Amino acid sequence: TQLLEQSPQFLSIQEGENLTVYCNSSSVFSSLQWYRQEPGEGPVLLVTVVTGGEVKKLKRLTFQFGDARKDSSLHITAAQTGDTGLYLCAGDPTSGTYKYIFGTGTRLKVLA
Amino acid sequence: EAGVAQSPRYKIIEKRQSVAFWCNPISGHATLYWYQQILGQGPKLLIQFQNNGVVDDSQLPKDRFSAERLKGVDSTLKIQPAKLEDSAVYLCASSLVVYEQYFGPGTRLTVT
């Protein structure tokens, strides 16, 4: 069974600080996604990375896929209160099926 | 463009009762997914439809859960009889392109 472990589980920081959350597995994934989920809502897709070593930037968010395609990180620069939410990674273990397995999530709270 | 609609948003039932959830995907999206998200965990795929055919139901507890997608549009997920451990948020998602899922707000089920 492929497992995606996310760390830290919880993170509380002040507005303006930088942070990095991690998504790790012992399995190889053909692609990996990051979502943000706010209370009472469904997850919203932020990015999909497909190539080992790939780096994608979305405004203040930087996503990296590990060279071996077993891990990923999400870095947020100058966090804002609007970044508060549950960050989920999801990996596709089998190329072409796009059946994503979700990690347990990192709950981020950004304080004003 | 309207998003994925789900109803009800909240449901409280006693164990051994039955319950049904409804999902209306984004217009034109052929693929529909049902996920179960237990508190503190990431979503787990229960069933995936392509039009009105089942693509994957390997993680659906078929002794108590059933789902259908009539005419390839709306879908219902039923639990009968419910157990305490079914307490969770049930998320519906749809996609036009398989790696871009759009989630609905979910139905929060509490089984007492």
Side-chain angles (χ1 to χ4, degrees), chain A residues 10-85:
Chain A
F10 302 96
L11 189 55
S12 180
I13 62 169
Q14 292 295 132
E15 201 169 27
E17 291 184 349
N18 301 333
L19 67 116
T20 303
V21 298
Y22 300 92
C23 174
N24 294 294
S25 176
S26 57
S27 302
V28 174
F29 292 95
S30 60
S31 64
L32 195 136
Q33 299 184 321
W34 283 93
Y35 291 80
R36 180 169 65 221
Q37 185 176 20
E38 298 187 22
E41 300 296 327
V44 175
L45 179 64
L46 298 173
V47 76
T48 302
V49 285
V50 297
T51 306
E54 182 177 1
V55 176
K56 278 192 174 179
K57 292 192 175 183
L58 184 67
K59 296 183 181 177
R60 294 176 294 101
L61 277 59
T62 302
F63 305 87
Q64 184 161 9
F65 201 10
D67 290 341
R69 305 207 314 274
K70 292 183 178 182
D71 56 85
S72 181
S73 64
L74 158 59
H75 181 80
I76 301 179
T77 303
Q80 300 176 355
T81 55
D83 296 328
T84 293

Side-chain angles (χ1 to χ4, degrees), chain A residues 33 37 40 42-43 98-99 103, chain B residues 9 37 42 48 56 98-99 103-104:
Chain A
Q33 299 184 321
Q37 185 176 20
Y98 300 104
K99 291 195 174 79
Chain B
R9 292 296 310 274
Q37 186 174 23
Q48 177 184 350
D56 184 356
V98 288
Y99 50 84
F103 283 83

Side-chain angles (χ1 to χ4, degrees), chain B residues 38-109:
Chain B
I38 293 173
L39 187 65
Q41 299 181 17
K44 182 182 88 170
L45 179 67
L46 293 175
I47 188 167
Q48 177 184 350
F49 291 94
Q50 181 73 20
N51 296 308
N52 60 348
V54 175
V55 173
D56 184 356
D57 63 357
S58 57
Q59 296 196 88
L60 187 73
K62 297 181 188 64
D63 57 334
R64 298 185 300 106
F65 285 64
S66 64
E68 60 182 6
R69 190 182 185 196
L70 298 175
K71 301 180 182 177
V73 182
D74 293 5
S75 177
T76 56
L77 176 69
K78 296 179 182 176
I79 308 175
Q80 181 180 5
K83 292 185 175 182
L84 295 176
E85 59 260 36
D86 298 331
S87 293
V89 175
Y90 290 85
L91 294 162
C92 177
S94 69
S95 67
L96 180 63
V97 181
V98 288
Y99 50 84
E100 285 187 7
Q101 296 182 59
Y102 294 83
F103 283 83
T107 296
R108 182 176 296 277
L109 173 68

Side-chain angles (χ1 to χ4, degrees), chain B residues 2-7 21-29 32 34 69 72-76 92-94 102-105:
Chain B
V4 176
Q6 291 189 246
S7 67
F21 313 126
W22 173 81
C23 172
N24 180 235
I26 294 173
S27 178
H29 283 195
L32 185 146
W34 282 102
R69 190 182 185 196
V73 182
D74 293 5
S75 177
T76 56
C92 177
S94 69
Y102 294 83
F103 283 83

